[in-house]
């Protein structure tokens, strides 16, 4: 039996927890305070009450840690949870974005590409669909997949996870940006200028990927634009909801990561530079007012 901790009792963390509760392992859902939250699965009417504990209340080291807090909440997190890890602990970042692993000096840390859809409102989580994490394939993740085989969580292992990470980065880049800055859900994509802004951002993202050694397929931009066209008009993105609820934005791991990577590769990215400056300004306004 392994000891597993899930940090962040939100949409993603609660879903991972519920999937792992079906296994023989000891599972802790770890939050900022001791509390109970309710979890509802929209597909099968499952309703469960989940027990959330504070990290400081756990005294034993864990074998596996999933981190499912939003990117701005990584600030200071390492100090709060480092006592939960030991040399062999496997840490999985179940977040969007890329580059966050550099802030957390765990020896075995993996960026997952997270396909879990849900939403948290106050103490209630609703899970819409998917329970899938994509991970780099190596000895640790092959063992992890075996350990969690009896859970409802699907671990998909890749020989080169970078391609999956960058693909999701690009998917998030344009839609999150236009919905957050335009303060409108996916219906904003119907506006021709917004559509062409998305294409320009995706072109710049594609170029940054290419210069970073990531070979995405030649038709990736058309593919992503087709995905966007399938979104219902009233669908919001996480960055859109963060703007509405006046909470910090996950720009550091998405637009910010791409912006820094563009500078590193000495690329000209006028659309990305503009939207990044605007998003950063909104993010700083929040930080100054909080
Ligand atoms: P969320 O619903 O806001 O949940 C995050 C949780 O982390 C909140 O419950 C928050 O607690 C908790 N938290 C913050 N700081 C903490 C700390 N220091 N210690 C313990 N818990 C802490 O966020 P989410 O939607 O699950 O998103 C998590 C990540 O997954 C993000 O990177 C997101 O972009 C990505 N993602 C989300 C979805 C989705 O559909 N939701 C899909 C794909 C990827 P409080 O309640 O106290 O604030």
């Amino acid at each position: 039996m392994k000891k597993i901790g899930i940090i962040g009792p939100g949409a993603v963390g609660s879903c991972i927890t519920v999937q792992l509760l079906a296994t023989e392992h000891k599972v802790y859902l770890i939050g900022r305070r001791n509390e109970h939250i309710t979890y509802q699965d929209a597909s099968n009417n499952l309703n469960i009450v989940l027990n959330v504990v504070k990290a400081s209340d756990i005294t034993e080291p864990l074998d596996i840690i999933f981190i499912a807090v939003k990117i701005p909440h990584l600030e200071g997190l390492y100090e709060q949870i480092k006592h939960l890890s030991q040399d062999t602990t496997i840490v999985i970042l179940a977040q969007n974005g890329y580059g966050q692993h550099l802030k957390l000096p765990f020896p075995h840390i993996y960026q997952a590409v997270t396909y879990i859809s849900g939403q948290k409102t106050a103490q209630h989580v609703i899970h819409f669909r998917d329970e899938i994490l994509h991970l780099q394939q190596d000895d640790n993740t092959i063992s992890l997949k075996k350990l969690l085989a009896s859970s409802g969580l699907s671990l998909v292992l890749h020989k080169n996870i970078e391609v999956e990470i960058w693909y999701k980065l690009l998917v998030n880049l344009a839609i999150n940006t236009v919905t957050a800055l335009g303060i409108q859900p996916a219906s904003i994509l119907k506006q021709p200028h917004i559509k062409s802004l998305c294409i320009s951002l995706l072109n710049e993202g594609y170029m940054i990927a290419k210069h970073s050694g990531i070979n995405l397929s030649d038709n990736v931009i058309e593919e992503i634009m087709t995905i966007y066209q399938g979104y219902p008009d009233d669908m919001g993105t996480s960055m859109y909801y963060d703007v509405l609820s006046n909470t910090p934005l996950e720009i550091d791991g998405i637009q910010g990561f791409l912006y820094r990577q563009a500078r590193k590769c000495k690329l000209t990215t006028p659309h990305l530079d503009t939207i990044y400056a605007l998003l950063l300004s909104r993010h700083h306004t929040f930080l100054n007012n909080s």
Side-chain angles (χ1 to χ4, degrees):
M1 185 184 75
K2 297 288 181 188
K3 292 181 273 291
I4 307 178
I6 299 97
I7 320 278
V12 168
S14 304
C15 173
I16 295 172
T17 303
V18 169
Q19 303 313 318
L20 299 185
L21 285 176
T23 67
E24 71 278 22
H25 306 301
K26 188 167 179 185
V27 177
Y28 295 102
L29 177 56
I30 301 167
R32 289 197 261 218
R33 61 198 82 81
N34 293 322
E35 61 180 341
H36 290 102
I37 61 163
T38 52
Y39 176 91
Q40 179 191 357
D41 195 315
S43 64
N44 59 11
N45 277 329
L46 173 83
N47 281 285
I48 321 183
V49 176
L50 295 171
N51 189 30
V52 179
V53 290
K54 279 193 301 189
S56 55
D57 287 356
I58 302 172
T59 48
E60 56 183 358
L62 304 175
D63 301 298
I64 303 157
I65 296 176
F66 290 88
I67 298 182
V69 303
K70 288 203 167 167
I71 295 169
H73 292 145
L74 287 176
E75 206 63 51
L77 184 72
Y78 180 71
E79 288 306 313
Q80 291 167 32
I81 64 168
K82 65 178 185 197
H83 67 285
L84 300 177
S85 81
Q86 51 196 350
D87 289 352
T88 52
T89 302
I90 295 173
V91 179
I92 309 288
L93 272 174
Q95 294 184 310
N96 278 330
Y98 198 30
Q100 300 94 289
H101 59 289
L102 302 170
K103 295 181 184 159
L104 300 160
F106 293 108
H108 308 291
I109 185 160
Y110 294 83
Q111 174 71 57
V113 183
T114 304
Y115 289 96
I116 291 174
S117 167
Q119 203 169 347
K120 184 179 192 187
T121 314
Q123 266 41 61
H124 183 70
V125 169
I126 178 154
H127 175 244
F128 302 123
R129 65 188 164 275
D130 302 330
E131 303 87 10
I132 308 166
L133 297 179
H134 293 253
L135 288 169
Q136 177 63 42
Q137 177 177 307
D138 69 8
D139 291 350
N140 282 334
T141 56
I142 290 171
S143 308
L144 184 67
K145 191 175 159 90
K146 282 189 195 141
L147 273 173
L148 304 184
S150 62
S151 79
L153 190 66
S154 293
L155 298 186
V156 183
L157 306 186
H158 296 264
K159 294 223 165 78
N160 181 6
I161 192 65
E162 297 264 325
V163 175
E164 309 303 315
I165 291 174
W166 279 81
Y167 178 80
K168 184 94 188 281
L169 264 176
L170 261 59
V171 172
N172 281 324
L173 168 65
I175 186 72
N176 271 285
T177 297
V178 298
T179 54
L181 287 176
I183 321 183
Q184 288 170 57
S187 56
I188 198 169
L189 293 165
K190 293 210 168 101
Q191 299 175 27
H193 287 97
I194 295 292
K195 201 170 161 191
S196 67
L197 173 59
C198 287
I199 294 170
S200 301
L201 284 170
L202 291 175
N203 271 311
E204 291 179 4
Y206 178 81
M207 177 176 69
I208 302 167
K210 199 167 176 183
H211 281 81
S212 304
I214 310 298
N215 289 319
L216 297 168
S217 75
D218 291 345
N219 62 349
V220 70
I221 296 169
E222 294 82 60
E223 200 181 305
I224 295 174
M225 289 306 292
T226 306
I227 295 174
Y228 289 171
Q229 273 157 30
Y231 289 160
D233 280 359
D234 61 351
M235 193 201 86
T237 62
S238 60
M239 221 168 261
Y240 163 76
Y241 289 117
D242 288 340
V243 167
L244 288 188
S245 59
N246 201 26
T247 47
L249 307 178
E250 293 196 289
I251 51 175
D252 190 55
I254 303 173
Q255 295 87 349
F257 171 77
L258 290 167
Y259 176 85
R260 291 188 296 275
Q261 200 64 21
R263 299 295 79 78
K264 213 183 274 179
C265 302
K266 298 191 177 13
L267 298 171
T268 305
T269 52
H271 298 88
L272 177 65
D273 300 5
T274 308
I275 62 93
Y276 181 53
L278 292 168
L279 287 167
L280 204 55
S281 143
R282 191 221 153 275
H283 185 69
H284 285 157
T285 310
F286 168 83
L287 294 179
N288 291 337
N289 293 338
S290 60

